[in-house]
């Protein structure tokens, strides 16, 4: 099975900062990668699909890049509403897997 | 309104069974793959099972042979039949809508989740 590894596990940042989260796949997944945001007590919310496509309604300060085995989620100018946990997920094969999550905290 | 509403969670003894339901509304249910994803308390997300717009099913190794996913497109409802439950199955169970009829896609709509606790 394909394993997904995110780094860092926790990230301390301030409002206005540029933030980058990395996700690595144990084997190539082409661009079959999504990013989700989850706030405490809430369901996850899709931000990015196919590695770099922004989901409808998601602010443009979120962007994704990468292909193959290495991917990044970037948040330009972090806003108070962005403090949350972020997960990457591959859907390359019929055995989906999530990264362990990255908590973005103040 | 486009939404997913899970139900059926609760407390069950180890070895017991439980059936979760997920009622969909606001979209053409039969046109999309669906999945179950769980999250143990304080832990990350774990994909559990998926089903195509028809009847093709997929399972995580951790639940294969114990859980069965199904859907009733006439009732716009997704199910997860869970049996031989273990303490490690304790989690919030989310149903999630795929972005296409084929399961190989991201999840663009999630329910609010239903809690399953396996304990004696």
């Amino acid at each position: 099975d394909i394993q997904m590894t995110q780094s860092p596990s926790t990230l301390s940042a301030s409002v206005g900062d540029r933030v980058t989260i990395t996700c690595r796949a144990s084997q190539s997944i082409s661009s079959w990668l999504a990013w989700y945001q989850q706030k405490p007590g809430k369901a996850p919310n899709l931000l990015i699909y196919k590695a770099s496509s922004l989901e409808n309604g998601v602010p443009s300060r979120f962007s994704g890049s990468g292909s193959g085995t290495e991917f990044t989620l970037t948040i330009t100018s972090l806003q108070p509403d962005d403090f949350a946990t972020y997960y990457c997920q591959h859907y390359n094969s019929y055995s989906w897997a999530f990264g362990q999550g990255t908590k973005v905290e103040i | 309104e486009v939404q997913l509403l899970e139900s059926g969670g609760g407390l069950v003894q180890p070895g017991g069974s439980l059936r979760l339901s997920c009622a969909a509304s606001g979209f053409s249910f039969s046109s999309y793959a669906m999945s179950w994803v769980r999250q143990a308390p304080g832990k990350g997300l774990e994909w559990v099972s998926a089903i195509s717009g028809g009847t093709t099913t997929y399972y995580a190794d951790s639940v294969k042979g114990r859980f069965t996913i199904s859907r009733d497109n006439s009732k716009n409802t997704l199910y997860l039949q869970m049996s031989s439950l273990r303490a490690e199955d304790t989690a919030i169970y989310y149903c999630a809508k795929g972005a296409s009829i084929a399961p190989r896609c991201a999840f663009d709509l999630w329910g609010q989740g239903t809690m399953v606790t396996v304990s004696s």
Side-chain angles (χ1 to χ4, degrees), chain A residues 1-46:
Chain A
D1 289 352
I2 299 172
Q3 310 297 322
M4 308 301 292
T5 303
Q6 287 181 235
S7 61
S9 297
T10 305
L11 190 158
S12 297
S14 301
V15 173
D17 284 354
R18 179 186 177 92
V19 165
T20 299
I21 299 168
T22 298
C23 178
R24 290 186 173 86
S26 59
Q27 64 189 73
S28 178
I29 57 170
S30 184
S31 296
W32 302 115
L33 185 101
W35 289 97
Y36 300 87
Q37 177 193 66
Q38 187 180 33
K39 296 180 179 178
K42 300 292 186 182
N45 183 50
L46 177 64

Side-chain angles (χ1 to χ4, degrees), chain A residues 1 32 34 36 38 42-46 49 55 87 89 91-100, chain B residues 35 37 39 43-47 50 58-61 94 102-108 110-112:
Chain A
D1 289 352
W32 302 115
Y36 300 87
Q38 187 180 33
K42 300 292 186 182
N45 183 50
L46 177 64
Y49 62 95
E55 174 70 353
Y87 294 91
Q89 177 211 27
Y91 50 99
N92 178 67
S93 62
Y94 296 110
S95 178
W96 299 246
F98 292 90
Q100 80 277 18
Chain B
S35 281
V37 176
Q39 187 168 36
K43 303 297 184 181
L45 301 170
E46 179 188 15
W47 170 76
Y58 309 88
Y59 298 95
D61 288 344
Y94 295 102
R104 188 172 159 177
C105 57
F107 304 152
D108 61 1
W110 296 64
Q112 86 291 346

Side-chain angles (χ1 to χ4, degrees), chain A residues 63 74 81:
Chain A
S63 64
T74 300
D81 191 48

Side-chain angles (χ1 to χ4, degrees), chain B residues 12-68:
Chain B
V12 61
Q13 292 189 337
S17 299
L18 207 58
R19 189 177 84 155
L20 306 183
S21 299
C22 172
S25 59
F27 64 96
S28 179
F29 180 70
S30 62
S31 297
Y32 295 94
M34 298 293 295
S35 281
W36 288 97
V37 176
R38 68 185 180 185
Q39 187 168 36
K43 303 297 184 181
L45 301 170
E46 179 188 15
W47 170 76
V48 172
S49 182
I51 186 167
S52 68
T55 58
T56 306
T57 59
Y58 309 88
Y59 298 95
D61 288 344
S62 58
V63 306
K64 202 171 292 183
R66 300 188 299 123
F67 290 11
T68 302

